[in-house]
Amino acid sequence: MSDPLLVLDHVTVRAGGRALVEDVSLSLPRGQLVALIGPNGAGKTTLIRAILGLIRHEGRIEVRGRVGYVPQHLQYDRGLPMTVLEFMALSLQRLPVALGVTRAATKRVLELLELVGAQKLARARLGGLSGGELQRVMLAGAMQNRPELLLLDEPAAGVDIEGEATFHDLIARQVRDLGVTVVLVSHDLSVVSEITDHVICLNRRLMCEGNARDLLTAETIARVFGGHKAVYGHAHGHDHTHHHNHGNHRHD
């Protein structure tokens, strides 16, 4: 790979004397939609947090570009009398939004919302958004610094199937139109097989990596997920390796 965007070199993350992620090495190219899959407790969120520089790690992590991030959940007080415009302007202007949103910040927020087809939400109250609408706002915010690498930690958790499909279409558009490399943490292998170019299989260690359609076989799934379940999330009408599991999502 001539110019990888992300390089991990023997990356290990420990907590309490235990390795949450162990000896992971890989390189990711530019302009691809990459799925990071693995069972609960496999270290997926831990690896994302290490890439973001939020936790200590052993080994080398090199990101050759700007990074955007969409967490699984946004923690905020739903009772806050704040609009989407005001929320997004918080990081775009020095003037406190309580004193008003500047013309420049308003223009930039509307541009970002337009990227995800959500201009109409600018004046909506943040606490009144549906799960799918909040997804779009979070994705728009993550695009603020024009990232080359966008990290999404199960952003569709808790959203209905129709909203999830729409959101994944939006993600694919960022890759296609803007050349962004997206790393999507997902439990839903049916979605992964449909929309991603590349897959990383993690179960504390790197189990496999490569073309999604080539790797997502029943044999690989059994090896990565331990043989006891094939898919977390929704079934989308694919073959017999795809099963329902509607348990609660949890962080690694």
Side-chain angles (χ1 to χ4, degrees):
M1 192 181 302
S2 59
D3 183 27
L5 177 61
L6 173 67
V7 177
L8 307 184
D9 185 17
H10 299 288
V11 172
T12 295
V13 179
R14 303 183 191 274
R18 184 171 70 93
L20 305 180
V21 171
E22 186 172 1
D23 198 29
V24 172
S25 296
L26 57 86
S27 298
L28 292 184
R30 297 174 184 271
Q32 284 199 350
L33 179 47
V34 180
L36 175 58
I37 67 169
N40 279 329
K44 302 183 299 298
T45 294
T46 298
L47 188 60
I48 292 294
R49 287 172 60 82
I51 293 170
L52 289 167
L54 299 176
I55 55 177
R56 295 180 62 180
H57 65 273
E58 302 168 18
R60 179 173 64 96
I61 297 178
E62 184 177 353
V63 182
R64 299 168 181 171
R66 294 179 298 275
V67 180
Y69 172 54
V70 178
Q72 185 175 139
H73 301 290
L74 178 64
Q75 302 295 330
Y76 68 101
D77 181 357
R78 295 185 67 87
L80 282 175
M82 179 177 287
T83 66
V84 168
L85 173 62
E86 291 166 336
F87 171 71
M88 293 184 65
L90 287 172
S91 57
L92 290 170
Q93 64 179 49
R94 294 180 179 178
L95 182 74
V97 295
L99 299 179
V101 179
T102 65
R103 184 175 300 177
T106 298
K107 181 176 182 290
R108 182 60 180 145
V109 168
L110 292 177
E111 289 172 350
L112 291 168
L113 290 174
E114 185 177 4
L115 286 176
V116 299
Q119 306 95 311
K120 66 180 182 180
L121 297 178
R123 304 292 177 180
R125 190 173 63 85
L126 187 66
L129 299 181
S130 69
E133 289 170 339
L134 184 58
Q135 276 183 332
R136 288 174 180 249
V137 170
M138 292 169 66
L139 180 58
M143 298 300 294
Q144 176 183 322
N145 66 340
R146 298 178 176 87
E148 286 109 320
L149 175 64
L150 185 59
L151 304 174
L152 309 176
D153 191 1
E154 295 196 62
V159 177
D160 61 62
I161 296 175
E162 183 178 350
E164 182 180 0
T166 301
F167 188 66
H168 287 140
D169 286 343
L170 288 172
I171 295 167
R173 191 183 308 163
Q174 310 309 311
V175 176
R176 183 183 66 247
D177 296 348
L178 302 177
V180 179
T181 292
V182 175
V183 176
L184 171 67
V185 176
S186 179
H187 281 96
D188 192 339
L189 304 193
S190 54
V191 167
V192 167
S193 65
E194 287 176 356
I195 70 170
T196 59
D197 306 304
H198 194 88
V199 65
I200 298 167
C201 311
L202 187 72
N203 197 345
R204 194 170 56 86
R205 288 178 170 271
L206 182 63
M207 305 293 289
C208 58
E209 179 197 0
N211 181 273
R213 294 189 180 276
D214 292 341
L215 282 184
L216 292 178
T217 64
E219 179 183 355
T220 301
I221 290 167
R223 184 159 59 90
V224 174
F225 287 86
H228 62 286
K229 59 185 72 172
V231 161
Y232 295 70
H234 310 297
H236 290 247
H238 285 258
D239 64 29
H240 64 278
T241 64
H242 295 163
H243 304 292
H244 288 282
N245 183 318
H246 292 289
N248 293 329
H249 294 271
R250 72 169 187 260
H251 290 291
D252 293 322

